[in-house]
Amino acid sequence: MQSPVRRIRALPPSCGPVRLVAVDGPAGSGKTTLATKLAAELGCQVIHSDDFPIPWDGGPDAWFHALDEQVLRPLQQGRPGAFRRYDWHRAEYAELVTVPPAPVLIIEGVGTARRSIAHLLAFTIWLEAPEEERLRRVLDRDGPELEPQWRVWMEAEKAWFAEDGTRARADVRELGC
């Protein structure tokens, strides 16, 4: 994908004074890698859905309320947001992360480009990859013992994205291989 940096910088603010960019798509499609590269080019912060506790059975909607309450609403008012990052290895909350009303903020993860906040998004990137490749990636990262949970999660994602229509609203759609 050719970097959309110029396009993003040319856009007007969408969430208070912030250009809010979402990198969405199913698990294992390359969202974190792309968001990290894009943030380096834009000189901005990234908030990952993995910064929040997400129950396996909660699906893509289970974590978003915290992001909305603690970060997006304050930013809409031009105020800094903040949230406590969740440490998955220790299974507990870690440091407080401050989110200033900077020119650009990237939110990355399953469900970040949801219809309910489409009016707050300046730019949306959708990544996808073949299901077996995505499953291999998440199992390589998280361990093969989580395969049953990942298969259930991937079915929940399919249902979520079909109902939300996320892919169709994206400004850019790419294969994240």
Side-chain angles (χ1 to χ4, degrees):
M1 168 185 4
Q2 191 168 18
S3 178
V5 169
R6 277 190 234 153
R7 270 178 80 183
I8 291 168
R9 285 187 176 142
L11 294 169
S14 57
C15 182
V18 179
R19 290 168 192 85
L20 187 61
V21 175
V23 179
D24 205 336
S29 59
K31 297 178 301 297
T32 301
T33 301
L34 176 66
T36 301
K37 289 178 183 176
L38 190 57
E41 290 181 56
L42 287 163
C44 72
Q45 185 173 1
V46 179
I47 298 176
H48 306 276
S49 60
D50 286 347
D51 290 338
F52 299 86
I54 304 170
W56 284 109
D57 59 354
D61 207 32
W63 67 279
F64 197 80
H65 179 74
L67 175 70
D68 187 37
E69 284 273 316
Q70 299 168 27
V71 177
L72 300 183
R73 289 183 189 184
L75 290 177
Q76 288 176 68
Q77 298 168 359
R79 297 183 297 112
F83 65 95
R84 214 160 269 291
R85 186 185 64 77
Y86 190 73
D87 183 323
W88 285 90
H89 297 289
R90 294 185 347 209
E92 62 186 37
Y93 287 96
E95 76 278 3
L96 183 68
V97 177
T98 302
V99 184
V104 179
L105 173 65
I106 297 173
I107 55 175
E108 172 274 317
V110 175
T112 54
R114 61 189 55 225
R115 181 187 346 259
S116 65
I117 66 154
H119 65 287
L120 297 177
L121 296 171
F123 198 81
T124 301
I125 299 170
W126 170 268
L127 287 181
E128 56 194 36
E131 187 170 336
E132 287 307 310
E133 173 67 12
R134 294 186 302 103
L135 180 61
R136 183 194 61 75
R137 289 175 182 175
V138 297
L139 295 179
D140 285 351
R141 180 189 69 202
D142 299 339
E145 68 279 3
L146 293 177
E147 183 172 351
Q149 289 97 323
W150 272 115
R151 288 194 180 275
V152 169
W153 175 267
M154 288 177 158
E155 289 304 312
E157 286 180 334
K158 284 180 197 172
W160 164 263
F161 288 131
E163 183 178 322
D164 190 68
T166 315
R167 185 184 190 279
R169 287 190 315 279
D171 296 296
V172 173
R173 292 174 207 86
E174 290 290 329
L175 194 60
C177 290

